[in-house]
Amino acid sequence: MLFILLVLALLVSCAACALAWALMTRVKRVIGTDPDLASIRSAAAVSVEPGTRITSPVGLVDVNGKPFSLPVGSAQPWVLAFQSLGCAGCRQQLPGYRKFLEEHGIPAERAISLAIGDSADLGWLRSGLEGAGHLVHVDQNSPAVADLQITHWPTYLVVGADDRVVFATRSSARLTASGPRSTARASVPAA
């Protein structure tokens, strides 16, 4: 009887080791130490490349019902954020985005958030920005979204004085971490 229990214990411990090995290899793939992950990462990249020129689409209206234009032609850098009102990641990253705007002294007129989704859900974004940015509600098919082929929310763009994207990311943490470099590059006029 003792022998049978020992054999069963050995089989259970072998199964536990196999499960631990399978879990370890899965974790390695998820955190990026597996070379097969390159194709997954490229699919998650921002669709807007640095150097892309930003134009102001006609017919934008802010959440207060007033006509609005993007600050193209400005001598100062500006930030364009694409957020979805039904996106949990957008809600989670909003404090980091606001921190970036405040730390770099970017005024609301140069921090534009284009939000897609049900306008009844604008409350969390409006209160989360608390005047730190200008909020515009757009349709997913709006030229502001479609022309830049925005497919991931949130997407943050730092736009330079020449109306070209100098930095693009889907992460407010990366935006905050690169802030001094991206806003400095955005401040240098094109030669």
Side-chain angles (χ1 to χ4, degrees), residues 29-134:
R29 283 189 30 215
V30 169
I31 63 172
T33 56
D34 190 329
D36 293 338
L37 217 59
S39 61
I40 295 171
R41 283 203 182 114
S42 65
V46 175
S47 59
V48 181
E49 294 290 325
T52 302
R53 182 174 290 279
I54 303 295
T55 60
S56 186
V58 178
L60 288 179
V61 177
D62 70 11
V63 294
N64 298 320
K66 297 179 182 174
F68 183 78
S69 295
L70 297 178
V72 296
S74 171
Q76 298 292 320
W78 49 285
V79 180
L80 182 58
F82 293 87
Q83 297 168 323
S84 173
L85 299 172
C87 167
C90 296
R91 282 184 193 235
Q92 182 182 11
Q93 292 188 37
L94 186 58
Y97 174 55
R98 181 155 183 230
K99 178 182 175 186
F100 168 80
L101 297 175
E102 290 171 349
E103 284 181 353
H104 297 287
I106 300 172
E109 63 270 5
R110 291 190 298 121
I112 295 85
S113 290
L114 299 181
I116 66 161
D118 187 356
S119 61
D121 294 332
L122 276 167
W124 69 265
L125 186 54
R126 188 182 293 207
S127 66
L129 284 173
E130 295 180 25
H134 202 90

